[in-house]
Amino acid sequence: MKNLKNIGFTLLMMLSLASCKQENKEVTVEETKKGVVSEADLAKMQTASFTIEGMTCAMGCAKTIENKLAAQDGVGQAVVDFDTKIATVKFDAEKQSLESLTKTIEGVAGGDSYKVTESKKM
């Protein structure tokens, strides 16, 4: 029985460490199924930042929010930095707004986990 507890504890520790390793990688439309955004199109897009509370790890929380933002119509690029708790998004203002992007962030994981405490256009 003691060995079973040790094995269970070891597996739990390995799982928790593997799920929270840090990786800062920009997610662009090219990595989603929407298509390709050119550098010229990205340059024309507006940029906004969002301060997000409630994230507990880089690979689970931050990566999920990043992927949800990048998958939105009109979003050319999304980067979520777990350490600073800031999401930076390049978007087409004709298709998205600060309010719609905030709703996307706060709606991830059923809407109970994340809260945007500040948003601003840059």
Side-chain angles (χ1 to χ4, degrees):
M1 189 67 173
K2 186 177 181 181
N3 287 336
L4 187 58
K5 285 182 181 180
N6 288 339
I7 291 171
F9 178 74
T10 303
L11 288 173
L12 181 64
M13 291 301 295
M14 288 174 45
L15 179 64
S16 66
L17 291 174
S19 68
C20 287
K21 69 178 182 179
Q22 280 193 313
E23 177 180 311
N24 289 327
K25 179 182 174 223
E26 293 182 355
V27 176
T28 64
V29 174
E30 296 165 9
E31 296 173 338
T32 68
K33 296 178 181 171
K34 294 192 308 183
V36 177
V37 173
S38 70
E39 291 294 323
D41 288 339
L42 274 177
K44 294 177 191 174
M45 293 185 166
Q46 293 187 6
T47 303
S49 69
F50 302 86
T51 304
I52 305 169
E53 294 299 324
M55 293 189 293
T56 59
C57 70
M59 287 305 294
C61 303
K63 194 65 163 171
T64 300
I65 294 169
E66 198 170 86
N67 290 336
K68 291 285 186 182
L69 286 168
Q72 297 300 304
D73 188 35
V75 174
Q77 186 176 61
V79 179
V80 179
D81 186 326
F82 173 72
D83 292 328
T84 62
K85 301 186 181 315
I86 294 176
T88 305
V89 182
K90 287 193 174 207
F91 65 98
D92 181 345
E94 293 179 3
K95 296 180 180 180
Q96 293 290 338
S97 66
L98 288 177
E99 292 78 21
S100 65
L101 294 169
T102 297
K103 285 181 183 178
T104 298
I105 294 167
E106 291 180 345
V108 173
D112 297 332
S113 300
Y114 311 112
K115 178 74 178 154
V116 174
T117 58
E118 182 181 353
S119 62
K120 62 182 175 184
K121 287 186 182 177
M122 301 160 91

